[in-house]
């Protein structure tokens, strides 16, 4: 039996009301389109301060996510009216993935204002933006700020980071979970790796004999086994397992997931 699991969420939210574009920035006169690294650092500090006060875990800075945020921020500054996506532009997940970010959950806040504290305050007084900013499920952030027409355009992208693992590391992680049940692990991976690439059935040639049960799934979370597999392992029927990892099938929108197959004998 095959089970494919992908826990993926995407949140698009309305932006906070913009201040008048003609309002003077506290940073003085800047060339239109100037990248404001200091303002991004202030928003980062303000976000973590707010999270600490709310009891949410501290955010780490993600450089790849910051690149994606800045690219969208530059597009906002060029367009004028702020939005989460413009015509011909990649979606949030696509542009974050293209920048090299790895995640299983991603959210975004956008705004335009006179200075960082005002932008942060606007987000905190918007129900959905506050929810994004204080979400305990996200653990990394990338922020881009651009000054144009006397105002600051800001993009704050949040993610739940997914560690980048090799196939061997994925297999080792899953094997460690299976060992808890007392089932022995085959050292070979060839049959399971070949089965992993398939949507159903088994490879024509099997070096370890035909398994009694086959499980395939995809997930960003390797901290636990799928419930159906865990139940099988606890039934006392099987004595040995072979684990194989392979590239994920149809991992849409640049979410980072792993694909695994387990053969039980």
């Amino acid at each position: 039996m095959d089970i494919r699991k992908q826990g993926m969420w995407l949140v698009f939210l309305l932006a906070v009301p913009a201040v008048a574009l003609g309002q003077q920035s506290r940073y003085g006169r800047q060339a239109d389109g100037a990248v404001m690294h200091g303002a991004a650092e202030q928003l980062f500090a303000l976000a973590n301060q707010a999270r600490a006060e709310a009891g949410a875990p501290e955010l780490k800075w993600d450089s790849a996510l910051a690149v994606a945020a800045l690219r969208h921020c530059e597009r906002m500054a060029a367009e004028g009216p702020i939005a989460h996506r413009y015509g011909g532009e990649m979606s949030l997940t696509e542009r974050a993935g293209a920048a090299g970010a790895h995640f299983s959950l991603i959210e975004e806040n956008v705004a335009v204002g006179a200075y960082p504290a005002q932008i942060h305050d606007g987000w905190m007084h918007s129900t959905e933006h506050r929810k994004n900013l204080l979400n305990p499920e996200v653990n990394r952030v990338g922020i881009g700020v651009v000054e144009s027409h006397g105002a600051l355009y800001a993009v704050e992208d949040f993610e739940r980071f997914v560690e980048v693992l090799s196939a061997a590391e994925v297999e080792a992680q899953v094997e460690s979970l299976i060992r808890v049940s007392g089932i022995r692990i085959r050292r070979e991976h060839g049959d399971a790796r070949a089965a992993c690439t398939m949507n159903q059935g088994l490879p024509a040639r099997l070096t370890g004999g035909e398994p009694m049960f086959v499980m395939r799934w995809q997930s960003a979370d390797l901290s636990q086994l799928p419930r159906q597999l865990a139940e099988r392992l606890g039934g006392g029927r099987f004595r040995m397992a072979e684990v194989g990892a392979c590239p994920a099938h149809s991992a849409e929108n640049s979410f980072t997931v792993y694909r695994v197959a387990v053969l039980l004998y």
Side-chain angles (χ1 to χ4, degrees):
M1 181 179 296
D2 295 347
I3 290 184
R4 300 178 64 192
K5 176 183 177 183
Q6 290 181 287
M8 302 177 177
W9 308 317
L10 173 62
V11 180
F12 284 102
L13 300 172
L14 294 177
V16 297
V19 299
L21 294 182
Q23 186 170 354
Q24 178 63 38
S25 166
R26 289 189 177 184
Y27 291 91
R29 297 182 61 83
Q30 298 282 341
D32 278 358
V35 178
M36 308 300 291
H37 297 292
E41 292 172 358
Q42 288 186 47
L43 287 173
F44 179 50
L46 289 167
N48 272 325
Q49 179 181 336
R51 288 174 68 87
E53 293 171 354
E58 181 180 17
L59 295 171
K60 294 184 178 180
W61 185 266
D62 189 295
S63 297
L65 202 58
V67 169
L70 180 58
R71 288 174 180 168
H72 182 62
C73 194
E74 291 172 334
R75 179 68 182 269
M76 286 203 314
E79 295 282 348
I82 59 177
H84 288 282
R85 188 177 186 181
Y86 298 97
E89 185 184 30
M90 292 187 292
S91 69
L92 169 58
T93 53
E94 290 169 335
R95 63 177 183 262
H102 296 273
F103 49 87
S104 60
L105 180 155
I106 190 163
E107 304 172 336
E108 180 173 83
N109 287 346
V110 300
V112 58
Y115 48 93
Q118 182 196 58
I119 291 171
H120 174 77
D121 185 66
W123 282 333
M124 290 296 289
H125 284 85
S126 166
T127 301
E128 295 299 334
H129 291 85
R130 179 187 177 90
K131 182 179 178 181
N132 280 353
L133 205 154
L134 301 182
N135 187 353
E137 297 298 318
V138 299
N139 52 26
R140 295 200 178 189
V141 66
I143 303 172
V145 181
V146 171
E147 183 166 31
S148 182
H149 305 293
L152 296 182
Y153 290 79
V155 175
E156 202 169 47
D157 287 342
F158 307 93
E159 69 179 3
R160 182 167 65 208
F161 175 73
V162 174
E163 186 177 3
V164 181
L165 301 176
S166 67
E169 289 172 327
V170 171
E171 290 163 354
Q173 175 66 21
V174 174
E175 287 172 352
S176 69
L177 297 174
I178 293 176
R179 285 193 180 93
V180 175
S181 66
I183 292 179
R184 292 187 295 118
I185 304 296
R186 288 193 71 204
R187 294 184 178 181
E188 295 79 8
H189 299 278
D191 290 350
R193 287 175 179 173
C196 182
T197 65
M198 305 169 64
N199 288 323
Q200 60 184 3
L202 289 167
R205 295 183 179 182
L206 295 168
T207 60
E210 186 168 343
M212 299 172 63
F213 177 78
V214 180
M215 181 80 181
R216 303 175 179 89
W217 76 97
Q218 294 188 177
S219 178
D221 182 10
L222 296 178
S223 65
Q224 59 184 358
L225 298 171
R227 184 180 65 179
Q228 185 176 3
L229 177 58
E231 290 174 350
R232 295 277 180 151
L233 293 173
R237 180 184 178 189
F238 305 102
R239 297 290 179 268
M240 183 177 294
E242 180 178 330
V243 179
C246 64
H249 290 189
S250 302
E252 298 177 355
N253 296 321
S254 300
F255 286 93
T256 300
V257 294
Y258 300 108
R259 183 172 175 84
V260 188
V262 172
L263 312 183
L264 298 182
Y265 302 88

